[in-house]
Amino acid sequence: MGPAKPIATGGRKPAVLSGSIQGLRWWIGGILFASTVINYVDRQTLSLLAPYLKLEYHWSNSDYANIVIAFRVAYSVGQTLFGRLMDRIGTRRGLTFAVACYSIVSVLTSLANGFRSFTAFRFLLGAGESANWPAATKAVAEWFPKSERGLATALFDSGSSIGGAVAPFLVLGIYFRWGWRPAFAIPGTLGFIWLLAWCWLYHPPESHPRISKTELELILSDKVESEARREKKFAPRWRDLLSLPQTWGTIVAKTCTDPVWFFVTDWFPIYLVAKGIEPKSGLIAIWIPFVAADLGNFFAGGVSGYLIKRGWGVGASRKALVIFGGTGVTMLIPTVSTTNRYLITFLFALATFAYSAFSTMANVLPSDLYNSESVASVSGLSGTGAGIGTIAAFKLIGYFSDARQARATHSFDPIVIVAGLVPFVGMILVLLLVRNTQATERGFVRQI
């Protein structure tokens, strides 16, 4: 491909300084990663403290499920609304507002004093945190060419597993020393520190004062190619987007994977207790699946990028990892037949590694398929689909785990079996729905 032709930048010339930051796009990827880490530390606090809060406040599993569902309701609706907002007001302002809001809520959760107040604070936290994935996906579309989008998405998405891995040491360490209220308040302050770095570093590439000319041309090259294929520039409505099979494939990819991940993040400590393993003695069991998930993110991003550079099409490279992920999550199913914490940890690690490979591809699909003015909207729609699936799953998990308590170590068996099968079904649907169509030829959807 020849050198990129200049494209319109709203009448502004990029102010390129002599002191440009080399590899600036990866610094952008790094700060998105940090946002996701903080996002997950804040949300993991409740699930890590749940075994102790359940005893203090006499909650059943159904009570706990309802508190978590309050988060999911706000998170589900918020992803679609914030996705649209990001496409309207831009990534910088939108994510600044969202992180400020959820950091305040996280700190204020230390004032909760029972079921209703915990439910209210979790609802508000879910609303604020819902902006992270639409915003990060849009930022990746703005800052990375297609051969690097998989790895960039893996970088920010890996923050969820790193946050999940760090949270037990941070949150439980604070809890055992000072109690549960500081365990909510102290991690909540991290978002305010992050905002200082974000407001200094993030601008669109076309107007960033510290970008080099070479990097700007690399970033804009894909945009030139995409613009050349389009019949006209337009801002699709939600119903326009929902008329496309590619949109439904993107929604399915998240809807059939995220509930499994949220089962791990929100229920794994309770699952271990049901298996006779105490959270304090099983800290490694909680930690290792998150590390495996992090490795799965980078494996998928690196492999898909390598395949593209080797001449594979974008669609083929992404679908290869979807197949790997959908198949690998079935490793959850054998855990029903054991109470050995090391074997449970190993099998969950294999499953979360595979999940993350699938999840990375699910998160990168909006930036692969859609133009800039639609990326966050589609990411938000897929997040809402995932949220609805998670709400339904959590309601069922709470009901069946309570109803099957007499079965002791086997109380979660049907739940875990379904969790292992749903991503496999999602894999099949993604392969059928994500394809080139007439909308691709007209430039409304990118070729894949």
Side-chain angles (χ1 to χ4, degrees):
M1 180 183 293
K5 298 177 182 179
I7 68 171
T9 59
R12 296 172 299 171
K13 292 183 179 180
V16 181
L17 302 183
S18 57
S20 59
I21 300 174
Q22 295 301 310
L24 178 59
R25 65 193 184 280
W26 293 107
W27 286 91
I28 298 294
I31 201 166
L32 294 171
F33 162 81
S35 170
T36 308
V37 170
I38 294 168
N39 184 291
Y40 256 77
V41 169
D42 285 349
R43 77 171 66 178
Q44 279 297 101
T45 304
L46 179 65
S47 63
L48 290 165
L49 299 177
Y52 310 105
L53 292 172
K54 282 178 64 184
L55 292 175
E56 181 172 343
Y57 289 104
H58 308 292
W59 296 337
S60 67
N61 281 345
S62 293
D63 291 331
Y64 174 67
N66 286 331
I67 295 172
V68 176
I69 285 169
F71 176 96
R72 296 296 161 201
V73 169
Y75 193 80
S76 302
V77 176
Q79 287 212 54
T80 289
L81 296 180
F82 267 118
R84 201 62 168 176
L85 182 65
M86 293 296 166
D87 284 332
R88 295 287 181 89
I89 70 173
T91 310
R92 188 174 189 269
R93 285 191 293 171
L95 196 53
T96 298
F97 172 75
V99 174
C101 287
Y102 77 67
S103 297
I104 291 170
V105 173
S106 185
V107 172
L108 291 179
T109 303
S110 63
L111 302 177
N113 58 11
F115 175 82
R116 291 184 179 179
S117 53
F118 270 105
T119 302
F121 281 124
R122 293 306 283 185
F123 181 88
L124 295 173
L125 185 71
E129 291 201 345
S130 65
N132 192 77
W133 264 257
T137 302
K138 184 174 179 66
V140 166
E142 291 173 343
W143 272 92
F144 290 87
K146 62 186 177 184
S147 62
E148 295 179 345
R149 275 187 224 124
L151 191 57
T153 299
L155 176 60
F156 87 72
D157 193 39
S158 70
S160 61
S161 46
I162 291 294
V166 168
F169 297 96
L170 176 63
V171 173
L172 293 178
I174 295 171
Y175 169 76
F176 289 123
R177 188 175 182 87
W178 294 302
W180 70 260
R181 295 184 190 277
F184 279 99
I186 294 172
T189 62
L190 296 174
F192 300 113
I193 299 170
W194 178 88
L195 281 170
L196 298 176
W198 170 255
C199 291
W200 172 77
L201 183 64
Y202 194 88
H203 300 275
E206 295 90 342
S207 59
H208 203 293
R210 309 292 298 211
I211 193 169
S212 69
K213 181 178 178 181
T214 302
E215 186 168 23
L216 181 62
E217 289 179 349
L218 172 66
I219 293 167
L220 297 185
S221 61
D222 274 1
K223 296 183 181 180
V224 173
E225 182 181 349
S226 177
E227 290 289 331
R229 296 181 59 87
R230 301 173 69 181
E231 291 184 354
K232 61 178 180 177
K233 186 172 182 177
F234 77 114
R237 298 163 295 181
W238 276 323
R239 73 179 185 185
D240 298 321
L241 295 170
L242 289 170
S243 69
L244 302 170
Q246 294 93 333
T247 301
W248 287 103
T250 304
I251 292 171
V252 164
K254 292 280 284 180
T255 302
C256 291
T257 53
D258 275 15
V260 177
W261 175 245
F262 293 135
F263 168 65
V264 176
T265 62
D266 290 345
W267 289 89
F268 194 41
I270 293 173
Y271 178 66
L272 290 176
V273 170
K275 288 286 189 178
I277 303 166
E278 288 299 320
K280 191 172 182 179
S281 64
L283 195 59
I284 294 298
I286 296 172
W287 179 64
I288 287 179
F290 288 101
V291 175
D294 189 51
L295 296 174
N297 282 126
F298 287 104
F299 169 79
V303 168
S304 66
Y306 172 78
L307 293 175
I308 290 172
K309 290 177 181 178
R310 294 284 295 179
W312 285 46
V314 174
S317 70
R318 306 304 191 213
K319 289 178 180 180
L321 274 301
V322 167
I323 292 170
F324 170 81
T327 304
V329 178
T330 59
M331 289 295 100
L332 288 175
I333 296 172
T335 65
V336 303
S337 61
T338 182
T339 58
N340 183 295
R341 72 179 177 186
Y342 299 107
L343 183 55
I344 290 172
T345 301
F346 175 69
L347 291 170
F348 263 83
L350 291 178
T352 55
F353 182 92
Y355 154 80
S356 288
F358 197 156
S359 175
T360 299
M361 297 302 99
N363 284 317
V364 81
L365 281 176
S367 57
D368 281 338
L369 289 165
Y370 296 91
N371 298 299
S372 179
E373 64 271 10
S374 303
V375 170
S377 295
V378 174
S379 178
L381 286 168
S382 68
T384 295
I388 293 170
T390 302
I391 290 166
F394 278 19
K395 199 68 180 174
L396 292 171
I397 290 169
Y399 173 78
F400 280 108
S401 59
D402 277 342
R404 292 173 55 87
Q405 276 188 339
R407 296 178 181 261
T409 59
H410 293 285
S411 59
F412 278 81
D413 285 3
I415 297 162
V416 174
I417 291 169
V418 171
L421 292 176
V422 167
F424 188 84
V425 175
M427 171 198 78
I428 296 170
L429 293 173
V430 170
L431 297 178
L432 294 173
L433 291 167
V434 178
R435 64 185 192 278
N436 295 322
T437 62
Q438 187 178 16
T440 311
E441 297 302 318
R442 298 177 66 187
F444 296 155
V445 183
R446 289 177 173 172
Q447 188 171 13
I448 194 167

